Amino acid sequence: MSDTAKLSVQIAAVLVACIAVALMPGYVDLFQLMQFTLFASMAVLALSLGFIWGFGGILCFGQTAFFGLGAYAYAVAAINFGDSTPAILMAIIVPSLFALALGYFVFYGRISDVYLGVITLTVTLILFNVFNSTAGDEYTIGVARLGGFNGMPAVPTFNMPFDPSGILFPEHSWYVTGGVLIAVYVGLRLLLRSRFGRVAVAVRENETRAALLGYDPRVVKLWVFVLGGAIAGLAGALYVNWGAFVGPTIFALSLSAEIIIWICIGGLGTLIGPVVGCFLIQYLVSQIGSQQSFNSNLILGAILVVFVVLLPKGLVPTLRNLILSGWHLVGDARRKGAEAKRNDLAAGQPVGAE
Amino acid sequence: MDLAALLALNVINGAASLFLLCLGLAIIFGMMRIINLAHGEFVMLGAYAAVLSANAGVNIWIAMLVVAPLFVGLVGLLVERCLVRFLYGRLVDSMLATWGLSLLIIGIVTTIFGNTMQGVPTPLGGFSIGDYRTSWYTLFLLAVAIVMMAIVYAVLRYTRYGLIARAVMQNPDMAAVLGVNPTHVYMATFSLGAAVTGLAGGVLAPVSGITPVMGGAYVAKAFITVVGGGAAIISGTLSASGLFGFVNQLGAYFTTPVYGEVILFLSAIVLIRLLPQGISGRFFKGTV
């Protein structure tokens, strides 16, 4: 497939997604719409890890640390200010700063992949323990009580920008959440086409070579990590907007595991894969929850094991390869020579650089 | 004075339980470079095996010291044959697959036994230090840790199996040329690590809450200790668990148990940053 064809397919897909978001409230009932709002906010979280893992090569086992910090930052700020606009900003800024500090420590220490996973996992556990033990009146920020294990109920949801009286209805929340999902997707796509995105992929492919070409892998990875943290924080704000509640279980290991499962299933190294995996698994888990016959951990664990062993690339790349090979079969019949030459060129490109 | 003695006992106890928890993981990670994220679930299975057989009438000591390690060792054998052997050399995939395995084990155990479990009472009773009472079981844990350390050290250092295992870990191809079958060695080592972990689960069962998700509390602690300890199995794990157990118990004494854990994790992160090769990579090079 040529670059132009790929670009037109992508633009068409984004347009279809926009139309789907716009038309959705007319076709599904309120309960389902709320479900999809939740799925979409989780999909933003999936995109954040899909970006730093798939394109930055950083396997962060504790992406929920940033998600949870964003959620808590939003909740505290929204309760204090009474207006969600600065609170959303806080939900992005606080996790970014945290990611900056942690990332500086980790990447400038040149800590290897595996230890990075262990450290991020540990940080998540620390946050869980700390927020779990914040019961009591002494743990109050402004007028917001952190509430320990019980969490913070009745957090103000989103309102019109700078207008605290104009609270959004569930339909509007869906537009906001779906819109943010599409915007983050498009933004990351554009970023990956930019100079920085190409350098990030180069660093993922071969750190030493990128360093020899004059790029500092530590800086590149740090910014990828910070950006991932910011997006995860934004997802946290969207999540609180959905449920008007935040508790320490947001830092739980099971959620961290689930994000990784979404990405493994959807496909690492793609942007659409994590979103697809997220929607599929969330739907599956909500179905299992309503059936009550199986334990959802059992199913999720089995799925993860099967995918890692048998389908390590994930759904989206596998399907794409199938479609592309079909395309080439058709194309080969007509334009054998020219096409083969261009394919060779395309094969030399790193994954995700298109 | 009594208080100091009690605190010292707590520190020793913390370090001993941490050492027991980590030893199996250190064998599997240190020798095979497989990150077993289902480690906490192996501990949980050991605890379940001990408690179930004790409740079924088996002598509590046999349940803890024989049934638990045997059962988990067999589970380890099964896991190695069905899953882990496809993942040697694929570090990240091994992490993901064993994470999936841990969810799977939690799911199976929850489905069979439900969310809670009748525990077993702590055997042995207690004794007094001045005004404070503490349990003999603390000293028993220490004894088990020391005996395990001696056994694992002796097996790795002085037996033929230990020699072969260390050779295979250093260079599997060369060992194969000399007539050793690396597959068998990997199998035995993984299952040995699992059995040691099961023993830890068994002896910790009377002093911990038995739930299907109890492994989650252990896995991060065990990992951070093994990574902090570095490549040498005995000296690394011993020094790291001594250090972290000390820090944890003192932190817990002066603040709260929750912040004790937080202090443990923070000091572990700082240690990994300062010594990326772990304590043994810096101070005990070339030891077992």
Side-chain angles (χ1 to χ4, degrees):
Chain A
M1 225 189 276
S2 68
D3 267 7
T4 353
K6 263 181 193 159
L7 195 61
S8 15
V9 169
Q10 280 170 0
I11 290 175
V14 168
L15 284 179
V16 169
C18 288
I19 294 168
V21 167
L23 293 184
M24 185 79 96
Y27 287 91
V28 299
D29 59 36
L30 191 60
F31 175 73
Q32 280 176 320
L33 195 66
M34 294 288 282
Q35 286 276 313
F36 277 112
T37 312
L38 173 66
F39 294 175
S41 60
M42 289 300 186
V44 176
L45 176 62
L47 266 181
S48 75
L49 185 63
F51 173 65
I52 66 169
W53 186 16
F55 296 93
I58 305 163
L59 174 52
C60 175
F61 264 83
Q63 196 69 4
T64 45
F66 309 117
F67 181 64
L69 276 179
Y72 266 100
Y74 171 81
V76 169
I79 289 175
N80 277 313
F81 301 144
D83 177 5
S84 72
T85 321
I88 296 173
L89 281 180
M90 290 299 287
I92 298 174
I93 293 169
V94 171
S96 309
L97 291 179
F98 187 71
L100 190 66
L102 184 65
Y104 175 77
F105 190 77
V106 169
F107 298 124
Y108 279 74
R110 294 196 184 277
I111 286 170
S112 74
D113 291 353
V114 179
Y115 293 177
L116 182 76
V118 175
I119 286 180
T120 47
L121 192 75
T122 314
V123 166
T124 315
L125 276 172
I126 293 178
L127 288 172
F128 177 75
N129 280 335
V130 168
F131 278 94
N132 220 351
S133 66
T134 54
D137 291 331
E138 65 271 32
Y139 296 102
T140 310
I141 301 176
V143 292
R145 294 179 54 183
L146 291 179
F149 186 72
N150 294 320
M152 303 169 69
V155 179
T157 52
F158 287 3
N159 50 255
M160 301 301 268
F162 304 109
D163 176 18
S165 59
I167 293 168
L168 297 188
F169 289 108
E171 289 86 1
H172 299 146
S173 281
W174 160 249
Y175 289 138
V176 170
T177 312
V180 167
L181 177 60
I182 294 175
V184 168
Y185 176 83
V186 172
L188 288 178
R189 235 326 124 224
L190 291 176
L191 183 75
L192 286 171
R193 289 183 77 91
S194 74
R195 184 182 155 82
F196 177 78
R198 286 167 185 274
V199 175
V201 171
V203 168
R204 177 200 64 183
E205 289 293 313
N206 190 330
E207 230 173 271
T208 316
R209 201 177 290 173
L212 290 174
L213 288 172
Y215 302 104
D216 189 345
R218 297 175 300 181
V219 179
V220 175
K221 281 179 138 180
L222 181 61
W223 286 117
V224 169
F225 193 62
V226 169
L227 187 61
I231 297 170
L234 180 62
L238 293 171
Y239 174 77
V240 177
N241 176 48
W242 170 78
F245 170 77
V246 54
T249 46
I250 199 169
F251 295 110
L253 278 183
S254 52
L255 184 59
S256 297
E258 220 172 289
I259 312 170
I260 289 174
I261 296 172
W262 299 336
I263 293 172
C264 284
I265 286 170
L268 183 64
T270 64
L271 282 181
I272 194 70
V275 178
V276 171
C278 172
F279 272 86
L280 275 180
I281 292 295
Q282 296 247 29
Y283 181 74
L284 188 71
V285 168
S286 71
Q287 289 300 311
I288 295 169
S290 59
Q291 303 257 333
Q292 294 287 344
S293 53
F294 284 107
N295 184 294
S296 66
N297 272 332
L298 203 157
I299 308 282
L300 283 181
I303 290 177
L304 182 57
V305 170
V306 167
F307 266 82
V308 170
V309 175
L310 298 179
L311 203 64
K313 276 184 172 165
L315 285 177
V316 170
T318 310
L319 285 177
R320 189 170 60 190
N321 287 348
L322 277 179
I323 292 172
L324 279 184
S325 55
W327 179 281
H328 286 315
L329 278 181
V330 176
D332 275 357
R334 275 176 283 161
R335 317 149 285 180
K336 252 185 188 163
E339 184 74 10
K341 209 171 186 181
R342 277 168 62 189
N343 275 341
D344 285 346
L345 284 179
Q349 280 193 342
V351 191
E354 64 259 22
Chain B
M1 188 57 220
D2 297 342
L3 188 65
L6 187 76
L7 200 59
L9 198 64
N10 274 350
V11 167
I12 291 171
N13 180 36
S17 13
L18 201 54
F19 178 79
L20 273 176
L21 275 177
C22 298
L23 190 58
L25 190 73
I27 292 172
I28 294 175
F29 177 64
M31 301 198 69
M32 308 170 70
R33 295 275 126 192
I34 283 284
I35 294 219
N36 177 21
L37 282 179
H39 178 73
E41 280 58 47
F42 283 4
V43 174
M44 183 264 286
L45 285 179
Y48 264 78
V51 169
L52 280 174
S53 47
N55 286 349
V58 180
N59 180 306
I60 174 86
W61 301 104
I62 294 178
M64 287 192 306
L65 298 176
V66 180
V67 177
L70 270 185
F71 174 69
V72 181
L74 286 177
V75 171
L77 192 66
L78 194 71
V79 166
E80 203 274 343
R81 283 292 86 190
C82 300
L83 181 66
V84 174
R85 73 183 168 119
F86 302 111
L87 303 169
Y88 290 123
R90 290 158 61 190
L91 201 59
V92 171
D93 283 347
S94 76
M95 272 170 116
L96 295 174
T98 49
W99 195 335
L101 180 72
S102 90
L103 292 178
L104 191 68
I105 295 177
I106 292 175
I108 293 172
V109 171
T110 314
T111 313
I112 300 176
F113 299 110
N115 280 320
T116 50
M117 181 82 186
Q118 175 81 49
V120 285
T122 311
L124 291 178
F127 66 100
S128 299
I129 308 175
D131 295 338
Y132 303 94
R133 270 192 80 70
T134 183
S135 152
W136 282 112
Y137 201 76
T138 330
L139 294 179
F140 170 71
L141 279 181
L142 179 65
V144 173
I146 291 172
V147 170
M148 283 312 293
M149 180 173 80
I151 292 177
V152 173
Y153 180 79
V155 166
L156 288 178
R157 188 76 181 77
Y158 297 114
T159 64
R160 188 170 160 73
Y161 163 75
L163 187 68
I164 290 176
R166 283 185 292 144
V168 168
M169 303 316 153
Q170 276 191 7
N171 193 335
D173 294 336
M174 188 69 85
V177 166
L178 293 172
V180 174
N181 187 345
T183 320
H184 292 172
V185 178
Y186 285 137
M187 209 166 77
T189 310
F190 193 88
S191 137
L192 175 75
V196 170
T197 311
L199 182 85
V203 295
L204 289 173
V207 288
S208 44
I210 316 277
T211 65
V213 292
M214 65 187 278
Y218 298 128
V219 66
K221 232 200 250 182
F223 255 101
I224 208 96
T225 309
V226 169
V227 167
I233 294 174
I234 299 287
S235 58
T237 313
L238 186 64
S239 49
S241 52
L243 178 66
F244 293 153
F246 179 72
V247 169
N248 184 2
Q249 293 295 333
L250 277 193
Y253 176 72
F254 286 113
T255 57
T256 65
V258 173
Y259 286 108
E261 302 254 294
V262 171
I263 292 168
L264 184 159
F265 285 139
L266 284 178
S267 53
I269 291 178
V270 172
L271 182 83
I272 293 176
R273 172 70 177 84
L274 295 179
L275 305 172
Q277 300 298 314
I279 299 177
S280 66
R282 181 68 174 271
F283 298 112
F284 306 106
K285 270 197 177 142
T287 50
V288 172

